[in-house]
Amino acid sequence: MQTAAPQKIYLKDYTPPAYLVDSVELTFKLAPTTTRVLSRIAFRPNPDAQSRDFFLHGEQLKLISASIDGVSITPEITATGLTHTVPNAPFVFEAEVEISPETNTALEGLYMSNGMYCTQCEAEGFRKITYYPDRPDVMSVFTVRIESDLPVLLSNGNPAAKGDGWAEWHDPWPKPAYLFALVGGDLVNHPDRFTTMSGKDVELNIWVRPGDDEQKCAFGMAALKKSMKWDEDVYGREYDLDIFNIVAVDDFNMGAMENKGLNIFNSSAVLASPETSTDANFERIEAIIAHEYFHNWTGNRITCRDWFQLCLKEGLTVFRDQQFTGDMRSHAVKRIDDAVVLRAHQFREDNGPLAHPVRPESFVEINNFYTVTVYEKGAEIIGMLKRLVGDDGYKKALDLYFDRHDGDAATIEDWLQVFEDATGRDLSQFAKWYSQAGTPRVSITDSYADGTYSLTLSQHTPATPDQDEKTPMVIPVAVGLLNDNGDEIVPTRILELTEATQTFTFDGLASKPVPSILRGFSAPVILEHDQTNAERAFLLAHDTDPFNRWDAGRTLAQDVLIQMVREDATPDTAYLDGLLALLRDDSLDPAFRALALSLPSQDDTAQALVDAGETPDPTAIYRAHEALTLHIAQHLQDTLPRIYADMMVTGPYTPDAVSAGKRSLGNRMLTLMSKLDGGKQASQQYATADNMTQQLAALASLLKIGKGADELAAFEQRWHHDRLVMDKWFGLQVSCAAPEDAAKVAAKLTEHPAFTMKNPNRFRAVFGALKGNTAGFHDPSGASYDLLADWLIKLDALNPQTTARMSTSFDTWKRYDADRQTKMKAALQRIAETPNLSRDTTEMVTRILG
Ligand code: BES
Ligand code: ZN
């Protein structure tokens, strides 16, 4: 057990830094277990400070020497930092510390991955590199010298000088320490150039290990150039250094990191080729490259005052990367994809023990707050703001934001103030989206009389941990009205719901219309609307808003599934006929049709049952999903081969959205056909596919019907040398396993020679897939709970951040029956009681247990 309760940090306790930093000079003498870091930091008292205490963060550092203004000192050192008396005037602090990158398995600070040195400093990793005020409101200009025999030595900013065994970098833009980065390795680059809108020539590089990775940079490079252009065109922001470097590393806790001028990427988030990457991989890579690039303005030029403001950079940057993907691909499909993620993960978080506001009020470990709530709900808040103030208002506000706050460490208050100043709108009630946790429920009643249609909307947000009392939010509800023929008689308008209950009227209507509510998913809320299946089938067939058209099918599917779980019912034919009509409608985008044909996840169905006041049984939900998939396959049987054939793109693979949409619908057909043909078509697709998208989908279709053993072996044989492809091989077996086998399959894979806990991608491949196999994870034996707990306990000693993140697999424990609850709780308690459990994981399991 933890000896002392971990310290909680509160937003309300914020105080300005006691000292500011004018400049930092760092020298790194790289060595695997004995890297020396020399620092020379010019401090000056902060005129706005409330104290003169001098404290520098520092963890796991061996201090060799320190001085102030050239006079050697012996500072007082604790587990978290260093203190000493200092002059009441500007002074220079110097130190030399020793660190051990090779033994750094937490992948935070300076560490080694495949013989390459790299860093990850966000959020609080710089303090593992040297003593420093490691807080985002201390911004400074960094000059870095790296000494090493490795051929490639990189840091932030522009290259300053280099020679044999050393290189120097200078970053002219003041930045917080979390944006510091360093890379040293035997790397090759994929170079390119970009000319900015003001005519500045920028050198671009993607750095990878020599080998076949070199062939996999072209797509990422193209995505980078598109991102640079888009930010100029849409936000008027151009790049501000002579060089932009991206480095791919295999061992990385997250997807990627926006270090100034030197982005570091998980290799899975940048390397791509048709043979090794799926369409989904290509799309994710394009989005992540854009996201990290966009941080150059939203995050780096304007950063966060403190970590409670994390959504200021992440919510906004996610919103920007979503806009970008919509512009590059399809707005309708992107909106649906984002809503699926939000509902599956953010609503789940909001409904459970980990619920927290988009701007949390306290934390123990900030790494635990890089959540779907901060990110995706944070992005939704910006979407709502834009809907409320309009496109022009949004543009004015953003221009003012960049003007007013360039170079600042800003807050959510600053952000909202620019919207108020640019548009004259009072946002005091809207601001509650940042402080009130939980997903609002909006319920609908309507009536029609004498040509007037009345829509009454009521809002209610359920209690969340630490927040019992909720008050009404500002909810933009986009509504359109259709007549019985499916014609749009009232085009989309935004109703602003600000009170607990409000009625909106529409006049001059000849008959009672069919409402289409929350078009485009205009707010991150749950609609409670008692519609009949016939009304939903009507919207599925006719809604002019693509999001709501899709959503009508989704709600219908969910209702059908719930009926099937409750009473073994056969599915409503209105739904099946609706799907058939949609599938046959060749005027519809294949990607959209594929989405309309997909079912809600089993976890979504479990949540829907909880919302209906029932205790979900994952095994019964699994059976209902299987049964419905079979019913759909049978009902569409005659059409499947025709659409499948139409969707087989000929010619060389390209990852563009149109081709990917076709493959997506084709693969959906394949999954359904496999339920009927014993996997004949899937075996053939596996054998002939020239790209990973179709090969992997074929293999998945086979595994899901209990076949594919030979293909699985052949796949391993062919791809054993490629880590990223092998991650798919590991993951697929677990996600496609029958529920009763999932734990066994996962356990067996942990004995495979290529399984390693030290690589987060590999660990997540197995255990992320186990969580994703909902019925398998919740198998009544409890075997998956035990297996995951065993491995999280082992992983915590090496990598607390990834362990804490993965412990959220247990966050739904209160949903389930007494037996499952007991088993999940026991697993959580076993983790909680592990000696020397990290602060990260301790905080998470404590919160999950409640
Ligand atoms: N700043 C984050 C990376 C990060 C996250 C650093 C957590 C430290 C702790 C980066 O900008 C980011 O958000 N990356 C995402 C991908 C993005 C497309 C949402 C990631 O890594 O998953
Ligand atoms: Zn980010």
Side-chain angles (χ1 to χ4, degrees):
M1 290 289 263
Q2 205 80 13
T3 38
Q7 209 198 330
K8 238 189 194 186
I9 300 165
Y10 293 88
L11 167 60
K12 63 174 166 48
D13 292 344
Y14 173 83
T15 54
Y19 297 87
L20 302 176
V21 175
D22 287 323
S23 65
V24 194
E25 288 160 43
L26 300 171
T27 299
F28 288 81
K29 301 180 178 181
L30 296 179
T33 56
T34 53
T35 288
R36 290 286 173 105
V37 185
L38 287 73
S39 58
R40 183 171 200 282
I41 311 171
F43 283 102
R44 126 178 91 87
N46 179 1
D48 298 331
Q50 293 156 22
S51 108
R52 283 278 161 263
D53 294 342
F54 181 69
F55 174 77
L56 302 181
H57 296 104
E59 288 175 15
Q60 298 158 38
L61 305 172
K62 188 164 131 196
L63 181 65
I64 307 295
S65 64
S67 70
I68 288 178
D69 288 333
V71 179
S72 164
I73 57 165
T74 307
E76 190 186 319
I77 292 182
T78 68
T80 58
L82 160 166
T83 56
H84 200 267
T85 53
V86 295
N88 191 13
F91 62 94
V92 172
F93 171 89
E94 285 175 276
E96 178 167 358
V97 302
E98 189 175 281
I99 54 180
S100 172
E102 192 175 72
T103 53
N104 179 353
T105 56
L107 314 183
E108 208 184 39
L110 178 66
Y111 65 94
M112 292 190 82
S113 170
N114 295 323
M116 166 182 162
Y117 292 86
C118 63
T119 54
Q120 172 54 41
C121 293
E122 189 180 0
E124 299 181 331
F126 192 76
R127 62 191 64 182
K128 293 179 167 180
I129 292 177
T130 193
Y131 289 102
Y132 196 75
D134 187 9
R135 41 187 290 169
D137 56 353
V138 174
M139 298 172 80
S140 185
V141 172
F142 282 63
T143 305
V144 176
R145 178 182 167 88
I146 311 168
E147 298 177 7
S148 162
D149 291 338
L150 289 163
V152 178
L153 305 172
L154 309 172
S155 189
N156 315 90
N158 297 319
K162 69 175 168 187
D164 213 17
W166 61 274
E168 286 176 5
W169 291 79
H170 177 74
D171 183 358
W173 299 102
K175 65 168 177 290
Y178 84 85
L179 290 172
F180 167 81
L182 173 151
V183 167
D186 182 6
L187 302 170
V188 291
N189 72 330
H190 179 101
D192 210 326
R193 311 200 75 84
F194 182 83
T195 307
T196 70
M197 60 186 186
S198 69
K200 229 173 81 111
D201 185 39
V202 182
E203 175 184 337
L204 312 175
N205 293 301
I206 298 183
W207 297 90
V208 298
R209 281 186 297 146
D212 56 335
D213 287 359
E214 286 166 66
Q215 314 310 316
K216 298 179 184 159
C217 298
F219 179 80
M221 182 57 83
L224 174 60
K225 291 197 285 181
K226 282 199 267 183
S227 308
M228 296 177 87
K229 181 75 170 64
W230 185 90
D231 214 16
E232 293 182 350
D233 292 348
V234 180
Y235 281 82
R237 301 295 125 195
E238 74 179 337
Y239 188 60
D240 55 4
L241 290 167
D242 303 337
I243 186 166
F244 188 80
N245 285 310
I246 288 179
V247 180
V249 300
D250 286 330
D251 303 293
F252 200 74
N253 281 329
M254 301 293 291
M257 176 64 208
E258 71 265 25
N259 317 300
K260 184 82 187 188
L262 177 52
N263 287 3
I264 297 183
F265 273 62
N266 187 319
S267 49
S268 75
V270 54
L271 302 180
S273 79
E275 299 73 37
T276 58
S277 314
T278 62
D279 290 331
N281 295 149
F282 278 98
E283 182 171 339
R284 173 168 178 263
I285 288 166
E286 187 175 82
I288 301 194
I289 291 206
H291 177 98
E292 306 310 339
Y293 175 74
F294 296 158
H295 269 314
N296 192 54
W297 276 94
T298 52
N300 302 1
R301 288 287 285 258
I302 305 179
T303 193
C304 302
R305 185 193 71 173
D306 55 73
W307 291 117
F308 294 102
Q309 321 295 328
L310 181 60
C311 62
L312 179 76
K313 74 177 178 82
E314 295 301 347
L316 176 55
T317 306
V318 169
F319 180 71
R320 275 151 52 72
D321 81 55
Q322 292 173 346
Q323 286 183 300
F324 169 79
T325 300
D327 283 353
M328 295 299 124
R329 291 162 180 262
S330 149
H331 285 284
V333 168
K334 179 60 178 162
R335 192 66 192 128
I336 295 167
D337 286 343
D338 290 338
V340 168
V341 169
L342 192 84
R343 286 172 171 169
H345 303 290
Q346 201 278 320
F347 286 11
R348 166 177 164 150
E349 188 161 81
D350 252 353
N351 265 308
L354 298 177
H356 57 275
V358 170
R359 180 166 68 177
E361 259 127 50
S362 68
F363 61 75
V364 173
E365 170 53 62
I366 184 57
N367 281 331
N368 289 334
F369 283 86
Y370 285 73
T371 61
V372 269
T373 296
V374 171
Y375 274 64
E376 300 339 285
K377 190 174 176 182
E380 289 300 320
I381 295 179
I382 293 169
M384 286 189 286
L385 258 179
K386 183 160 181 281
R387 243 159 259 136
L388 291 170
V389 304
D391 292 352
D392 287 349
Y394 180 77
K395 193 177 177 318
K396 275 195 208 128
L398 267 286
D399 287 343
L400 183 57
Y401 180 61
F402 293 121
D403 253 24
R404 187 182 282 176
H405 292 294
D406 189 9
D408 286 354
T411 62
I412 289 301
E413 283 73 17
D414 294 329
W415 164 254
L416 289 173
Q417 191 64 50
V418 299
F419 277 81
E420 294 202 335
D421 293 350
T423 68
R425 216 189 141 101
D426 176 2
L427 292 171
S428 44
Q429 188 188 357
F430 183 85
K432 222 177 292 169
W433 278 107
Y434 287 101
S435 59
Q436 191 161 284
T439 307
R441 312 290 204 259
V442 175
S443 59
I444 316 281
T445 56
D446 63 352
S447 63
Y448 173 80
D450 305 328
T452 298
Y453 177 66
S454 305
L455 203 53
T456 300
L457 307 181
S458 302
Q459 60 165 307
H460 155 77
T461 304
T464 52
D466 308 327
Q467 274 189 353
D468 295 337
E469 298 298 322
K470 309 281 182 176
T471 52
M473 317 275 271
V474 180
I475 303 179
V477 182
V479 173
L481 302 179
L482 306 175
N483 69 13
D484 288 345
N485 300 326
D487 306 321
E488 188 167 274
I489 46 171
V490 174
T492 308
R493 79 167 69 145
I494 305 275
L495 309 181
E496 284 183 31
L497 177 63
T498 57
E499 286 157 38
T501 297
Q502 250 168 298
T503 298
F504 302 87
T505 57
F506 302 80
D507 298 325
L509 302 176
S511 60
K512 185 176 181 183
V514 182
S516 165
I517 302 173
L518 205 68
R519 287 188 149 184
F521 199 51
S522 61
V525 302
I526 294 174
L527 263 197
E528 294 174 345
H529 190 188
D530 277 328
Q531 278 173 311
T532 63
N533 282 353
E535 284 167 321
R536 291 191 172 130
F538 174 85
L539 290 172
L540 175 63
H542 299 293
D543 203 323
T544 45
D545 180 73
F547 179 85
N548 267 11
R549 189 165 181 192
W550 166 81
D551 203 31
R554 182 58 51 142
T555 317
L556 203 46
Q558 193 69 277
D559 284 358
V560 166
L561 283 165
I562 286 175
Q563 287 308 317
M564 291 174 78
V565 171
R566 282 187 189 142
E567 56 204 71
D568 242 3
T570 48
D572 194 314
T573 46
Y575 171 60
L576 297 176
D577 288 340
L579 286 188
L580 184 59
L582 205 118
L583 179 60
R584 286 182 174 156
D585 184 348
D586 290 326
S587 71
L588 291 172
D589 177 3
F592 177 84
R593 280 186 273 167
L595 286 170
L597 281 162
S598 68
L599 297 181
S601 73
Q602 292 169 44
D603 195 68
D604 287 344
T605 306
Q607 186 57 49
L609 282 159
V610 173
D611 286 343
E614 296 173 40
T615 301
D617 172 3
T619 311
I621 294 173
Y622 170 79
R623 290 207 190 102
H625 274 250
E626 287 293 298
L628 181 55
T629 306
L630 184 59
H631 275 290
I632 294 174
Q634 286 162 344
H635 202 83
L636 309 186
Q637 189 163 11
D638 297 338
T639 310
L640 299 175
R642 201 260 298 159
I643 306 285
Y644 178 74
D646 286 355
M647 295 304 132
M648 293 313 272
V649 186
T650 51
Y653 173 96
T654 55
D656 62 284
V658 172
S659 320
K662 288 186 179 169
R663 280 185 292 268
S664 167
L665 184 56
N667 284 336
R668 183 72 194 138
M669 299 297 94
L670 187 69
T671 306
L672 295 171
M673 285 154 81
S674 302
K675 298 280 173 194
L676 306 172
D677 74 355
K680 202 166 139 264
Q681 194 67 54
S683 299
Q684 200 193 322
Q685 178 167 315
Y686 184 85
T688 55
D690 67 349
N691 62 83
M692 184 52 69
T693 306
Q694 287 171 325
Q695 191 168 60
L696 203 67
L699 185 53
S701 287
L702 291 170
L703 294 178
K704 277 193 217 133
I705 56 167
K707 303 213 166 151
D710 292 347
E711 285 82 356
L712 203 54
F715 190 100
E716 182 186 11
Q717 184 69 30
R718 169 144 183 224
W719 294 115
H720 63 92
H721 62 280
D722 188 312
R723 289 165 188 251
L724 296 175
V725 180
M726 284 304 283
D727 288 336
K728 300 183 200 307
W729 183 84
F730 274 90
L732 199 68
Q733 296 178 63
V734 180
S735 48
C736 295
E740 63 277 16
D741 298 332
K744 261 177 280 167
V745 170
K748 181 127 185 290
L749 286 171
T750 62
E751 288 159 16
H752 190 283
F755 179 81
T756 165
M757 284 201 283
K758 289 196 174 166
N759 179 261
N761 292 2
R762 188 58 48 89
F763 190 89
R764 277 189 293 255
V766 173
F767 290 104
L770 187 60
K771 171 196 180 185
N773 186 332
T774 309
F777 185 62
H778 296 288
D779 185 68
S781 66
S784 293
Y785 305 151
D786 291 341
L787 182 72
L788 181 59
D790 290 346
W791 280 96
L792 289 179
I793 288 167
K794 284 189 233 183
L795 183 66
D796 189 67
L798 297 178
N799 185 335
Q801 195 182 331
T802 293
T803 309
R805 208 158 252 286
M806 304 238 3
S807 70
T808 60
S809 305
F810 290 105
D811 72 347
T812 52
W813 69 277
K814 284 184 181 149
R815 270 185 193 168
Y816 294 104
D817 54 89
D819 191 42
R820 285 189 174 88
Q821 282 204 19
T822 307
K823 291 183 164 120
M824 288 176 94
K825 214 172 141 177
L828 280 164
Q829 264 154 356
R830 198 152 60 82
I831 300 171
E833 284 159 15
T834 304
N836 304 316
L837 192 71
S838 68
R839 193 165 52 132
D840 309 54
T841 308
T842 303
E843 180 185 29
M844 289 305 270
V845 292
T846 311
R847 283 169 61 212
I848 294 170
L849 282 165

